[in-house]
Amino acid sequence: GQHLITALADLMFGFKTTSWELGRQRSVIELDTPSVTAEQVEALERSVNEKIRERVPVVVRELAADDPEIETVRSRGLPDDHVGPVRVVDIEGIDSNMCCGTHVSNLSDLQVIKLLGTEKGKKNKTDLVFLSGNRVLKSIEQSHSTEKALTSLLKNGPGEHVEAVKRLQSSVKLLQKNNLNLLRDIAVLIARDFKSKPVQSRLLVLHRKEGDSEFMNIIANEIGTEETLLFLTVGDEKEAGLFLLAGPAEAVENLGPRVAELLGGKGAGKRGRFQGKATKMSGRGEVQALLQEFISQQSPEA
Protein backbone atom coordinates (compact mmCIF):
# COMPACT_ATOMS: atom_id res chain seq x y z
CA GLY A 1 0.00 0.00 0.00
CA GLN A 2 2.80 2.43 0.85
CA HIS A 3 4.61 1.60 -2.42
CA LEU A 4 1.47 2.29 -4.43
CA ILE A 5 0.67 5.61 -2.74
CA THR A 6 4.29 6.75 -2.95
CA ALA A 7 4.51 5.90 -6.68
CA LEU A 8 1.26 7.63 -7.65
CA ALA A 9 1.90 10.71 -5.47
CA ASP A 10 5.13 11.16 -7.42
CA LEU A 11 3.61 10.41 -10.84
CA MET A 12 0.55 12.61 -10.34
CA PHE A 13 1.94 15.57 -8.41
CA GLY A 14 5.70 15.20 -8.19
CA PHE A 15 5.52 14.64 -4.41
CA LYS A 16 8.59 12.66 -3.36
CA THR A 17 8.41 10.33 -0.35
CA THR A 18 11.18 11.05 2.16
CA SER A 19 10.18 8.59 4.91
CA TRP A 20 7.31 6.51 6.19
CA GLU A 21 5.99 4.87 9.34
CA LEU A 22 3.93 1.70 9.10
CA GLY A 23 1.98 1.50 12.37
CA ARG A 24 -0.47 -0.96 13.86
CA GLN A 25 -3.34 1.54 13.95
CA ARG A 26 -2.47 3.85 11.05
CA SER A 27 0.42 4.48 8.70
CA VAL A 28 2.10 7.71 7.61
CA ILE A 29 4.02 8.72 4.49
CA GLU A 30 6.17 11.86 4.70
CA LEU A 31 5.97 13.84 1.45
CA ASP A 32 8.55 16.43 0.44
CA THR A 33 6.06 19.25 -0.03
CA PRO A 34 4.87 21.98 2.35
CA SER A 35 1.20 21.26 1.65
CA VAL A 36 -1.22 18.91 -0.08
CA THR A 37 -4.71 20.14 -0.96
CA ALA A 38 -7.90 18.26 -0.14
CA GLU A 39 -8.52 17.92 -3.89
CA GLN A 40 -5.11 16.31 -4.37
CA VAL A 41 -5.76 13.86 -1.52
CA GLU A 42 -9.12 12.94 -3.07
CA ALA A 43 -7.61 12.44 -6.53
CA LEU A 44 -4.77 10.34 -5.13
CA GLU A 45 -7.16 8.14 -3.15
CA ARG A 46 -9.34 7.65 -6.21
CA SER A 47 -6.33 6.69 -8.32
CA VAL A 48 -4.83 4.15 -5.87
CA ASN A 49 -8.17 2.40 -5.48
CA GLU A 50 -8.64 2.30 -9.25
CA LYS A 51 -5.32 0.43 -9.49
CA ILE A 52 -6.49 -2.00 -6.79
CA ARG A 53 -9.71 -2.69 -8.73
CA GLU A 54 -7.69 -3.22 -11.92
CA ARG A 55 -5.93 -6.13 -10.19
CA VAL A 56 -2.46 -4.93 -11.17
CA PRO A 57 0.16 -7.71 -10.67
CA VAL A 58 3.07 -7.29 -8.24
CA VAL A 59 6.26 -9.15 -9.13
CA VAL A 60 9.40 -9.66 -7.07
CA ARG A 61 12.75 -9.94 -8.91
CA GLU A 62 16.34 -10.36 -7.85
CA LEU A 63 19.02 -8.49 -9.80
CA ALA A 64 22.77 -8.63 -9.58
CA ALA A 65 24.26 -5.65 -7.79
CA ASP A 66 26.06 -4.56 -10.97
CA ASP A 67 23.01 -4.96 -13.24
CA PRO A 68 22.51 -1.70 -15.23
CA GLU A 69 18.74 -2.02 -14.71
CA ILE A 70 19.22 -1.15 -11.05
CA GLU A 71 19.80 2.44 -12.13
CA THR A 72 16.13 2.64 -13.24
CA VAL A 73 14.78 1.33 -9.94
CA ARG A 74 13.47 3.78 -7.34
CA SER A 75 15.51 3.58 -4.13
CA ARG A 76 17.47 5.52 -1.56
CA GLY A 77 20.62 3.66 -2.57
CA LEU A 78 22.21 0.44 -1.36
CA PRO A 79 24.06 0.26 1.97
CA ASP A 80 27.84 0.40 1.66
CA ASP A 81 28.18 -3.10 3.12
CA HIS A 82 25.58 -4.72 0.84
CA VAL A 83 26.53 -8.05 -0.75
CA GLY A 84 24.61 -10.42 -3.00
CA PRO A 85 21.58 -9.88 -5.25
CA VAL A 86 19.25 -6.89 -5.02
CA ARG A 87 15.53 -7.52 -4.43
CA VAL A 88 13.22 -5.40 -6.59
CA VAL A 89 9.45 -5.17 -6.22
CA ASP A 90 7.57 -4.24 -9.42
CA ILE A 91 4.01 -2.93 -9.49
CA GLU A 92 3.37 -3.58 -13.16
CA GLY A 93 3.41 -0.39 -15.21
CA ILE A 94 3.51 1.81 -12.07
CA ASP A 95 6.64 1.37 -9.99
CA SER A 96 9.90 -0.52 -9.48
CA ASN A 97 11.35 -0.26 -6.01
CA MET A 98 14.15 -1.89 -4.02
CA CYS A 99 12.65 -3.48 -0.93
CA CYS A 100 13.34 -6.40 1.39
CA GLY A 101 9.83 -6.57 2.89
CA THR A 102 6.88 -8.89 2.37
CA HIS A 103 4.55 -7.99 -0.52
CA VAL A 104 1.25 -9.03 -2.05
CA SER A 105 1.23 -10.76 -5.43
CA ASN A 106 -1.57 -8.56 -6.78
CA LEU A 107 -2.84 -5.09 -5.80
CA SER A 108 -6.33 -6.55 -5.37
CA ASP A 109 -5.05 -8.25 -2.19
CA LEU A 110 -4.90 -4.78 -0.62
CA GLN A 111 -8.73 -4.62 -0.83
CA VAL A 112 -8.93 -0.86 -0.35
CA ILE A 113 -6.87 2.15 0.73
CA LYS A 114 -8.29 5.07 2.66
CA LEU A 115 -6.36 8.35 2.89
CA LEU A 116 -7.33 9.94 6.22
CA GLY A 117 -5.84 13.33 5.35
CA THR A 118 -2.65 15.25 6.02
CA GLU A 119 -0.78 16.62 9.01
CA LYS A 120 2.00 19.18 9.22
CA GLY A 121 5.33 17.38 9.04
CA LYS A 122 8.88 18.29 9.98
CA LYS A 123 11.05 20.71 8.04
CA ASN A 124 8.37 22.03 5.68
CA LYS A 125 7.07 18.58 4.77
CA THR A 126 3.61 16.99 4.88
CA ASP A 127 2.55 13.73 6.54
CA LEU A 128 -0.06 11.76 4.60
CA VAL A 129 -2.01 9.41 6.88
CA PHE A 130 -3.53 6.25 5.43
CA LEU A 131 -5.15 2.90 6.18
CA SER A 132 -4.92 -0.19 4.01
CA GLY A 133 -6.72 -3.54 3.80
CA ASN A 134 -8.25 -4.90 7.00
CA ARG A 135 -7.33 -1.73 8.91
CA VAL A 136 -9.94 0.11 6.82
CA LEU A 137 -12.60 -2.43 7.82
CA LYS A 138 -11.60 -2.25 11.49
CA SER A 139 -11.74 1.55 11.37
CA ILE A 140 -15.25 1.47 9.89
CA GLU A 141 -16.36 -0.99 12.56
CA GLN A 142 -14.96 1.22 15.31
CA SER A 143 -16.55 4.35 13.82
CA HIS A 144 -19.91 2.57 13.56
CA SER A 145 -19.72 1.46 17.20
CA THR A 146 -18.95 5.04 18.23
CA GLU A 147 -21.83 6.31 16.10
CA LYS A 148 -24.26 3.88 17.74
CA ALA A 149 -23.10 4.90 21.22
CA LEU A 150 -23.52 8.60 20.40
CA THR A 151 -26.98 7.96 18.93
CA SER A 152 -28.00 6.33 22.21
CA LEU A 153 -26.50 9.09 24.37
CA LEU A 154 -27.64 12.08 22.31
CA LYS A 155 -31.09 10.65 21.45
CA ASN A 156 -30.87 11.63 17.78
CA GLY A 157 -29.61 10.33 14.45
CA PRO A 158 -25.97 10.37 13.23
CA GLY A 159 -26.64 13.35 10.98
CA GLU A 160 -27.56 15.45 14.02
CA HIS A 161 -24.67 14.42 16.30
CA VAL A 162 -22.48 17.46 15.62
CA GLU A 163 -25.25 19.98 16.25
CA ALA A 164 -26.29 18.14 19.42
CA VAL A 165 -22.73 18.25 20.76
CA LYS A 166 -22.47 21.97 19.92
CA ARG A 167 -25.66 22.63 21.89
CA LEU A 168 -24.30 20.64 24.83
CA GLN A 169 -21.02 22.58 24.73
CA SER A 170 -22.92 25.88 24.78
CA SER A 171 -25.00 24.70 27.73
CA VAL A 172 -21.93 23.55 29.65
CA LYS A 173 -20.17 26.88 29.07
CA LEU A 174 -23.21 28.79 30.35
CA LEU A 175 -23.51 26.52 33.40
CA GLN A 176 -19.79 26.91 34.14
CA LYS A 177 -20.07 30.69 33.89
CA ASN A 178 -23.10 30.75 36.20
CA ASN A 179 -21.37 28.39 38.62
CA LEU A 180 -18.28 30.61 38.74
CA ASN A 181 -20.38 33.70 39.40
CA LEU A 182 -22.22 31.95 42.23
CA LEU A 183 -18.93 30.72 43.67
CA ARG A 184 -17.58 34.28 43.69
CA ASP A 185 -20.74 35.49 45.48
CA ILE A 186 -20.36 32.71 48.06
CA ALA A 187 -16.76 33.75 48.69
CA VAL A 188 -17.83 37.33 49.41
CA LEU A 189 -20.63 36.14 51.73
CA ILE A 190 -18.25 33.85 53.64
CA ALA A 191 -15.87 36.76 54.20
CA ARG A 192 -18.62 39.14 55.25
CA ASP A 193 -20.08 36.57 57.65
CA PHE A 194 -16.67 36.11 59.27
CA LYS A 195 -16.14 39.84 59.64
CA SER A 196 -19.64 40.38 61.11
CA LYS A 197 -18.99 38.22 64.16
CA PRO A 198 -18.77 40.25 67.42
CA VAL A 199 -15.57 38.54 68.49
CA GLN A 200 -13.11 38.26 65.64
CA SER A 201 -11.24 34.94 65.46
CA ARG A 202 -7.55 35.11 64.68
CA LEU A 203 -7.75 31.92 62.54
CA LEU A 204 -10.10 30.95 59.71
CA VAL A 205 -9.90 27.42 58.31
CA LEU A 206 -12.15 26.67 55.33
CA HIS A 207 -12.38 23.96 52.68
CA ARG A 208 -14.68 23.96 49.67
CA LYS A 209 -14.44 21.10 47.19
CA GLU A 210 -15.69 22.98 44.12
CA GLY A 211 -13.67 26.15 44.72
CA ASP A 212 -10.63 27.45 42.87
CA SER A 213 -7.68 29.79 43.51
CA GLU A 214 -9.77 32.89 42.74
CA PHE A 215 -12.38 31.75 45.26
CA MET A 216 -9.70 31.61 47.98
CA ASN A 217 -8.15 34.94 47.05
CA ILE A 218 -11.53 36.71 47.09
CA ILE A 219 -12.05 35.56 50.68
CA ALA A 220 -8.56 36.70 51.64
CA ASN A 221 -9.07 40.09 49.96
CA GLU A 222 -12.45 40.66 51.59
CA ILE A 223 -11.31 39.72 55.10
CA GLY A 224 -7.93 41.41 55.03
CA THR A 225 -5.00 39.60 56.58
CA GLU A 226 -3.29 42.08 58.90
CA GLU A 227 -4.58 40.35 62.05
CA THR A 228 -6.20 37.12 60.84
CA LEU A 229 -4.47 33.93 59.67
CA LEU A 230 -6.41 32.20 56.87
CA PHE A 231 -5.95 28.59 55.77
CA LEU A 232 -8.12 27.93 52.72
CA THR A 233 -8.25 24.80 50.57
CA VAL A 234 -10.21 23.64 47.53
CA GLY A 235 -10.45 20.31 45.70
CA ASP A 236 -10.81 16.70 46.84
CA GLU A 237 -10.94 16.41 50.63
CA LYS A 238 -8.46 13.52 50.79
CA GLU A 239 -6.42 13.68 47.59
CA ALA A 240 -5.16 16.58 45.42
CA GLY A 241 -6.17 20.23 45.56
CA LEU A 242 -5.04 23.83 46.05
CA PHE A 243 -4.25 25.70 49.25
CA LEU A 244 -3.77 29.30 50.36
CA LEU A 245 -2.20 30.51 53.56
CA ALA A 246 -2.72 34.24 54.13
CA GLY A 247 -2.07 36.50 57.05
CA PRO A 248 0.66 38.63 58.65
CA ALA A 249 3.62 38.56 56.26
CA GLU A 250 6.19 37.28 58.76
CA ALA A 251 3.92 34.48 60.00
CA VAL A 252 3.04 33.34 56.49
CA GLU A 253 6.67 33.39 55.43
CA ASN A 254 7.61 31.11 58.34
CA LEU A 255 4.59 28.79 58.22
CA GLY A 256 4.07 28.50 54.44
CA PRO A 257 6.77 25.89 53.66
CA ARG A 258 5.69 23.79 56.64
CA VAL A 259 2.04 23.89 55.48
CA ALA A 260 3.07 22.78 51.97
CA GLU A 261 5.10 19.92 53.46
CA LEU A 262 2.18 18.65 55.56
CA LEU A 263 -0.05 18.72 52.46
CA GLY A 264 2.50 16.87 50.32
CA GLY A 265 2.72 19.78 47.94
CA LYS A 266 4.69 22.78 46.80
CA GLY A 267 4.00 26.47 46.94
CA ALA A 268 5.39 29.96 46.88
CA GLY A 269 4.33 33.40 47.93
CA LYS A 270 5.01 36.96 48.94
CA ARG A 271 3.43 39.84 50.83
CA GLY A 272 1.40 37.70 53.22
CA ARG A 273 0.20 35.08 50.72
CA PHE A 274 1.58 31.54 50.28
CA GLN A 275 -0.28 29.29 47.86
CA GLY A 276 0.30 26.16 45.85
CA LYS A 277 -0.78 22.65 44.94
CA ALA A 278 -1.32 19.86 47.43
CA THR A 279 -1.26 16.10 46.80
CA LYS A 280 -2.34 15.05 50.29
CA MET A 281 -5.34 17.07 51.41
CA SER A 282 -5.83 14.58 54.23
CA GLY A 283 -3.11 16.55 56.02
CA ARG A 284 -5.42 19.53 56.56
CA GLY A 285 -6.03 18.51 60.17
CA GLU A 286 -2.32 18.59 60.92
CA VAL A 287 -2.04 22.02 59.31
CA GLN A 288 -4.93 23.33 61.40
CA ALA A 289 -3.27 22.01 64.58
CA LEU A 290 -0.01 23.69 63.57
CA LEU A 291 -1.74 27.04 62.99
CA GLN A 292 -3.74 26.87 66.22
CA GLU A 293 -0.53 26.19 68.17
CA PHE A 294 1.08 29.18 66.44
CA ILE A 295 -1.87 31.43 67.31
CA SER A 296 -1.84 30.33 70.97
CA GLN A 297 1.88 31.08 71.23
CA GLN A 298 1.28 34.58 69.86
CA SER A 299 -1.62 35.46 72.17
CA PRO A 300 -1.00 37.99 74.99
CA GLU A 301 -2.16 35.47 77.62
CA ALA A 302 0.66 33.14 76.59
Side-chain angles (χ1 to χ4, degrees):
Q2 178 267 314
H3 281 212
L4 179 60
I5 298 168
T6 286
L8 291 179
D10 191 4
L11 289 170
M12 294 172 67
F13 306 112
F15 297 155
K16 304 293 184 183
T17 291
T18 48
S19 69
W20 60 86
E21 178 185 355
L22 306 181
R24 290 184 178 275
Q25 302 299 324
R26 65 176 200 165
S27 297
V28 178
I29 297 173
E30 183 185 70
L31 299 174
D32 192 10
T33 177
S35 63
V36 179
T37 67
E39 291 75 18
Q40 288 171 326
V41 171
E42 183 180 352
L44 182 57
E45 179 180 280
R46 186 166 55 248
S47 182
V48 296
N49 284 294
E50 284 173 359
K51 298 303 180 185
I52 291 172
R53 289 192 295 273
E54 289 172 7
R55 298 178 55 81
V56 176
V58 179
V59 178
V60 177
R61 299 180 291 148
E62 288 190 353
L63 302 177
D66 58 354
D67 191 319
E69 191 175 345
I70 287 182
E71 298 299 323
T72 66
V73 176
R74 181 171 58 84
S75 78
R76 292 185 292 176
L78 290 170
D80 293 336
D81 59 352
H82 175 80
V83 294
V86 177
R87 188 170 181 271
V88 176
V89 177
D90 292 324
I91 303 176
E92 191 175 281
I94 299 174
D95 187 45
S96 289
N97 181 36
M98 292 184 193
C99 189
C100 60
T102 304
H103 291 81
V104 298
S105 60
N106 191 290
L107 288 186
S108 64
D109 293 337
L110 297 176
Q111 303 177 70
V112 64
I113 286 176
K114 177 61 184 174
L115 303 184
L116 297 179
T118 61
E119 299 173 354
K120 184 175 177 58
K122 300 176 182 177
K123 297 180 180 179
N124 214 30
K125 296 180 182 180
T126 299
D127 291 340
L128 179 64
V129 185
F130 74 96
L131 301 175
S132 182
N134 286 334
R135 289 180 177 85
V136 178
L137 300 178
K138 289 179 181 178
S139 178
I140 292 173
E141 181 181 358
Q142 183 179 12
S143 295
H144 183 59
S145 296
T146 301
E147 186 177 274
K148 286 172 64 179
L150 286 172
T151 295
S152 175
L153 290 169
L154 299 173
K155 310 299 182 187
N156 59 14
E160 300 172 303
H161 285 174
V162 174
E163 287 303 316
V165 171
K166 286 181 178 178
R167 288 195 298 271
L168 282 173
Q169 287 178 324
S170 296
S171 296
V172 168
K173 286 180 181 178
L174 181 60
L175 287 171
Q176 288 176 331
K177 182 179 179 180
N178 290 339
N179 183 60
L180 286 172
N181 289 334
L182 290 171
L183 202 57
R184 306 301 178 255
D185 291 342
I186 290 172
V188 172
L189 291 173
I190 289 172
R192 289 178 180 175
D193 178 65
F194 178 81
K195 291 171 69 176
S196 68
K197 289 181 169 42
V199 180
Q200 201 82 78
S201 172
R202 296 184 60 195
L203 175 65
L204 171 63
V205 176
L206 177 75
H207 175 81
R208 193 170 190 97
K209 184 175 183 178
E210 67 277 13
D212 58 12
S213 58
E214 187 177 351
F215 171 80
M216 296 187 293
N217 278 293
I218 288 175
I219 294 176
N221 291 338
E222 288 288 325
I223 291 178
T225 55
E226 290 81 3
E227 303 295 334
T228 306
L229 198 58
L230 309 179
F231 173 53
L232 310 175
T233 54
V234 295
D236 193 287
E237 289 88 345
K238 295 182 179 180
E239 295 182 12
L242 304 174
F243 71 91
L244 169 65
L245 180 69
E250 186 177 350
V252 170
E253 184 179 349
N254 293 330
L255 293 168
R258 179 63 179 146
V259 169
E261 182 184 351
L262 291 172
L263 296 176
K266 294 181 180 180
K270 57 184 178 180
R271 293 193 294 273
R273 301 277 174 99
F274 189 98
Q275 54 192 334
K277 295 181 179 180
T279 61
K280 193 176 68 174
M281 295 294 272
S282 57
R284 289 182 298 117
E286 295 176 71
V287 173
Q288 184 171 351
L290 172 70
L291 299 180
Q292 285 174 334
E293 181 182 358
F294 175 82
I295 292 294
S296 66
Q297 291 174 352
Q298 300 298 309
S299 64
E301 291 79 7

